[in-house]
Amino acid sequence: MLHVGPQSARSDPGPACYSRGGNSPTVTDAAVVVGYIDPNAFLGGKMALDIGAARRVIGELAKQLGRPLEETAYAILNLSSEKMISAISDITISEGLDPRESVVVGGGGAAGLNILAIARELGCERVILPRTAGALSACGMQFTDIVLSQSISVQTNSKKFAFDEVAAVVAELEARLQEFADRTSSKLSGKSRMQLSVEARYSAQVWELEVPLAAGVPKTPDDVAALVEAFHGVHERVYSVADR
């Protein structure tokens, strides 16, 4: 069986085409073999790639598989795309989200290599390849919200809701989060906000689903009923069924 990852050749020694001692066939080598990467234009022409080394390591793998060189290189690229498609499916389809309603954003040094294959398989009509794609994670860290998550476990159920226990743990969580907000307010621009949620499931169900406490901590039976209804809605969105 052909496998891609999870280990990496890293930047040092890197792929064989870097000419730094790497001898394992990599996705980058495969991309050089099929012409997706121009060996004379890598890093804006600052670094020449060794296409002969790339063909050598991919060729050794091709002999083991009994396949032509270019076919093996394409198989490596296709398999790497399939692994990314599977990962995206886990956070979209498995969570009740339709990837066809999304825009695919390519990031990382090889952002453009797989993005069209991924978008085509997921049915996405639009893709974005940012100018900063090669450093998208670092760029994103400069702009994204800072998030702190805190959790405390207390078990209760909708028929006999532990109002006092739940209120106590939520108060503790709010105190922790407020302390963080106060401590960082002088260093961060913009306002902070707090969101509360619970993890809930049907009786005898194995997996919990996160349900926002949109109306705050339940204080009355009517509040609990509203939370139960919200859970049914989340369950229906994720699994297309609700057992009211």
Side-chain angles (χ1 to χ4, degrees), residues 122-134:
L122 293 173
C124 302
E125 294 186 356
R126 294 185 179 184
V127 299
I128 295 176
L129 196 61
R131 188 182 298 273
T132 56

Side-chain angles (χ1 to χ4, degrees), residues 16-37:
C17 61
Y18 280 16
S19 299
R20 292 179 176 172
N23 286 309
S24 298
T26 68
V27 175
T28 303
D29 291 312
V32 171
V33 168
V34 300
Y36 284 1
I37 295 177

Side-chain angles (χ1 to χ4, degrees), residues 79-152:
L79 185 57
S80 67
S81 295
E82 287 297 329
K83 290 174 76 70
M84 286 183 262
I85 291 166
S86 177
I88 294 172
S89 297
D90 283 343
I91 61 173
T92 54
I93 297 170
S94 298
E95 295 293 329
L97 303 175
D98 188 349
R100 293 173 299 181
E101 299 174 355
S102 304
V103 176
V104 181
V105 181
L113 288 180
N114 306 85
I115 191 171
L116 289 179
I118 292 170
R120 187 180 296 115
E121 181 68 22
L122 293 173
C124 302
E125 294 186 356
R126 294 185 179 184
V127 299
I128 295 176
L129 196 61
R131 188 182 298 273
T132 56
L136 192 62
S137 295
C139 183
M141 287 183 67
Q142 302 299 316
F143 297 104
T144 190
D145 292 336
I146 293 177
V147 178
L148 175 69
S149 298
Q150 293 278 351
S151 64
I152 300 178

